[in-house]
Amino acid sequence: MICLVGFMGAGKSSALVELAAHGLSTADIDRLVETSEGLPVAEIFSTRGEEAFRAAEEREILAALGTGELDAIALGGGSLGSEAVREALSSSDHTVVWIDVDSETAWRRVRASTRPLAQDRDAFEALHAERQASYRAVADVVLPAVTHRVWDRALSSVRLLDRLPEGTRMLWASSRNGEYPVFVGRGLLGSPVFDQEAGVMPGDGRSFLFTDEDVGPIYGAGVGETEASVTVPPGEGAKTMAEFERSQRELTRLGMTRSDLLIALGGGVVGDLAGFCAHTYQRGVPVVQVPTTLVSQVDSSYGGKTGVDLPEGKNYVGAFHLPSAVIADVDTLATLPDAELTAGLAEVVKTALLAGGQLWEEVRNLEPGEILGRSDLIFDCARYKCRVVEADERDTGLRAVLNLGHTVGHAIEAVTGYGRYRHGEAIALGLLAALRLSDADELRAEVHDWQERHGLPVRLDPAVNIEAVLLATGFDKKKTARGVGFVLLPEPGQPEFDCPVPDDRLRAAVEELIR
Ligand code: NAD
Ligand code: ZN
């Protein structure tokens, strides 16, 4: 059974209407309570009190879940306060779908109503913040509240969860130029998600595998039936125009056509390069991202940025090309070299710092080595990234926040020829510089210790030329006509972008890294 949860104003009732149009039998728990109590919800609240309403609500939910006669129900925004309800929802028989609405949209939608808990704006916002954690805890699926008729496209992916390994979570990513399902879980390679009839793989053409020499032999067989494959050398060195051209010509020789599909299996390098090839091959073919590194599972495979490096600068040539789906099998992290896993933690801590709130609380308390068992955190990082992309797909504003730590980090990578530091390692150093520039001294100290504990660098190799790093910072492609705009983070969850930083402060923050 599909169980819709979410805050008031999320649009659960309209979702039920959409689902009914797809032939599902549906019920709104509020309506069931009104029928059984013989009173409108607002009146139950005012005459008998919230507690009486909650008791009736719990009874109706448990009955609906127990009989299993319905295909979909919508639960009231506060119903997860009941432990019995939470318990019943956790059964694998149900797919819990969280329709995630931001508090502003929710308020706009309900402020004129008679809903008892929507009378005061401040109280409403506090309640919204308070309930997020309970929705997150039970959700198998997260859908955006503002995407028009999303069930027309998302229903088959939601239903597919019944056939995927237990614990798989799904997120519907949506932004201006497209939308796609994101699956995060264990055992997804080799699962029905890759079957043509499951509907996740776009179109009905053939699949061509794009991977690297390390990943292909281990996981290549898990992506379903493929026609042929293109393999590039492992590592950043493959993100070049030369490798781009070689791969395109290879695809031509293999006979790929515009109705076929590319599957990018590997880390961020494969994802960026394959995505760019997909964008340009015969003016564009779909790409499905199957990320196998921590960096790519929490960050790089979402949002459609693709491209290659030039000797003059990282990611200098590229394009936006949204994936048609992202399938992140966290089991693949088990074979990832330790150093790569560690480097990926830099993107995890970056995301948690940007998101603030519960994600930051969980990540700051993460133990070394623990990430392998925490697909929930990987999912939350993906969710944060997709939310930012939803607001600003083409990187003209808010998306810049994702570059926290990247201005100095990219400069370090460039100056050291992309060989001395892994991307994540350079970002770890960049984060420390960014936090210093943000005057977030305590937070910098905490992140410093966290990175040290998890094996990330906190000190720049003294052999690295500081002047060159400072110079390279000015060449960061985020540079605008007004100069280098930095992302600053005075506190977790409060990023600011496009902030000018005086040269001497930048120098001090970078010099501090070699001390
Ligand atoms: P990567 O792709 O180079 O992978 C690291 C190494 O691990 C490679 O040698 C690879 O062969 C190997 N590997 C990958 N998965 C494995 C597995 N499961 N088991 C064993 N070995 C495995 O590195 P990365 O850190 O994933 O990606 C870094 C790249 O991502 C950079 O080029 C960066 O610019 C890019 N990136 C892009 C975005 C974006 O939005 N497009 C965002 C962040 C980073
Ligand atoms: Zn990065």
Side-chain angles (χ1 to χ4, degrees):
M1 184 191 292
I2 293 175
C3 306
L4 305 175
V5 302
F7 203 58
M8 58 191 121
K12 287 168 288 180
S13 307
S14 2
L16 284 185
V17 174
E18 284 183 50
L19 287 169
H22 284 275
L24 276 69
S25 60
T26 65
D28 190 325
I29 295 296
D30 276 359
R31 299 294 87 74
L32 297 182
V33 170
E34 289 180 334
T35 308
S36 70
E37 301 295 296
L39 280 179
V41 169
E43 266 181 60
I44 305 177
F45 261 76
S46 62
T47 60
R48 301 189 197 157
E50 178 165 356
E51 217 169 296
F53 171 77
R54 295 293 171 211
E57 181 183 45
E58 179 185 285
R59 199 180 57 233
E60 292 300 332
I61 294 171
L62 296 179
L65 292 175
T67 59
E69 279 164 8
L70 294 160
D71 299 319
I73 56 170
L75 280 67
S79 55
L80 298 181
S82 152
E83 198 184 325
V85 167
R86 293 198 304 270
E87 172 96 345
L89 287 177
S90 68
S91 145
S92 59
D93 298 344
H94 312 303
T95 302
V96 182
V97 178
W98 172 17
I99 305 183
D100 185 10
V101 68
D102 61 273
S103 74
E104 209 175 305
T105 305
W107 178 252
R108 212 174 344 98
R109 287 175 176 179
V110 304
R111 68 180 161 197
S113 75
T114 56
R115 289 170 199 250
L117 299 176
Q119 302 307 312
D120 172 77
R121 176 83 195 247
D122 289 342
F124 183 85
E125 264 181 30
L127 191 64
H128 178 272
E130 181 192 312
R131 287 192 180 159
Q132 295 300 97
S134 64
Y135 303 136
R136 177 218 183 246
V138 296
D140 302 303
V141 174
V142 184
L143 294 187
V146 292
T147 307
H148 185 62
R149 294 193 65 100
V150 66
W151 286 98
D152 291 351
R153 284 95 58 205
L155 181 58
S156 59
S157 288
V158 171
R159 286 195 142 161
L160 180 64
L161 281 183
D162 286 341
R163 295 169 52 214
L164 297 182
E166 204 178 329
T168 304
R169 289 186 175 82
M170 199 272 269
L171 159 75
W172 192 259
S174 155
S175 54
R176 178 141 40 112
N177 289 288
E179 48 186 346
Y180 51 95
V182 171
F183 295 89
V184 179
R186 314 190 54 167
L188 290 173
L189 284 167
S191 80
V193 75
F194 291 101
D195 293 352
Q196 194 69 254
E197 71 274 9
V200 174
M201 301 289 121
D204 49 13
R206 302 163 302 167
S207 299
F208 286 74
L209 176 63
F210 197 116
T211 187
D212 76 25
E213 287 160 10
D214 286 352
V215 178
I218 322 180
Y219 299 114
V223 300
E225 203 175 304
T226 53
E227 178 72 15
S229 60
V230 169
T231 305
V232 298
E236 188 74 32
K239 254 178 74 171
T240 60
M241 287 303 285
E243 210 47 58
F244 167 75
E245 183 182 1
R246 198 192 60 79
S247 318
Q248 297 282 39
R249 296 182 65 185
E250 178 99 24
L251 290 171
T252 311
R253 273 194 300 277
L254 293 169
M256 186 174 180
T257 72
R258 261 169 47 192
S259 52
D260 296 325
L261 145 81
L262 207 55
I263 297 182
L265 172 73
V269 164
V270 164
D272 282 9
L273 178 59
F276 190 39
C277 286
H279 182 75
T280 44
Y281 187 77
Q282 297 188 355
R283 298 198 183 81
V285 294
V287 65
V288 169
Q289 295 282 355
V290 186
T292 62
T293 63
L294 189 52
V295 168
S296 53
Q297 293 188 352
V298 300
D299 187 351
S300 66
S301 52
Y302 316 100
K305 278 195 186 178
T306 72
V308 297
D309 303 327
L310 293 181
E312 288 74 15
K314 195 173 153 61
N315 296 328
Y316 254 58
V317 176
F320 287 98
H321 192 71
L322 290 174
S324 297
V326 180
I327 299 161
D329 184 340
V330 301
D331 279 344
T332 59
L333 300 179
T335 56
L336 190 64
D338 283 348
E340 295 295 344
L341 191 68
T342 300
L345 286 171
E347 304 283 7
V348 173
V349 75
K350 176 201 81 172
T351 307
L353 282 165
L354 290 169
Q358 192 188 357
L359 185 54
W360 167 240
E361 286 308 320
E362 303 220 8
V363 167
R364 77 199 290 199
N365 292 312
L366 191 75
E367 295 298 327
E370 198 192 331
I371 190 72
L372 283 179
R374 297 296 303 272
S375 65
D376 60 325
L377 292 185
I378 293 174
F379 182 73
D380 286 341
C381 288
R383 197 154 65 79
Y384 177 80
K385 166 129 189 198
C386 291
R387 211 165 57 212
V388 172
V389 173
E390 178 184 330
D392 174 27
E393 184 190 290
R394 290 293 156 126
D395 200 359
T396 54
L398 182 71
R399 188 167 175 171
V401 302
L402 298 172
N403 273 314
L404 179 69
H406 280 58
T407 308
V408 168
H410 280 163
I412 292 172
E413 280 186 285
V415 164
T416 52
Y418 301 105
R420 170 70 180 79
Y421 291 103
R422 290 180 176 78
H423 175 69
E425 293 167 344
I427 296 319
L429 293 165
L431 281 175
L432 296 180
L435 291 171
R436 176 65 75 220
L437 293 171
S438 312
D439 287 323
D441 297 345
E442 245 175 71
L443 188 57
R444 185 191 186 280
E446 179 173 357
V447 172
H448 176 286
D449 293 351
W450 190 97
Q451 291 184 170
E452 200 161 44
R453 198 150 37 90
H454 287 267
L456 280 164
V458 291
R459 209 165 161 262
L460 182 63
D461 182 347
V464 174
N465 183 338
I466 291 287
E467 300 308 319
V469 172
L470 290 170
L471 192 67
T473 303
F475 278 109
D476 187 284
K477 79 181 177 328
K478 294 296 161 324
K479 191 174 164 139
T480 62
R482 280 171 292 140
V484 182
F486 270 81
V487 183
L488 300 181
L489 189 84
E491 37 184 317
Q494 306 291 326
E496 296 163 4
F497 58 92
D498 234 354
C499 306
V501 163
D503 287 351
D504 56 329
R505 293 211 59 202
L506 176 59
R507 175 178 289 277
V510 173
E511 280 177 349
E512 183 181 10
L513 295 174
I514 53 168
R515 252 183 267 129

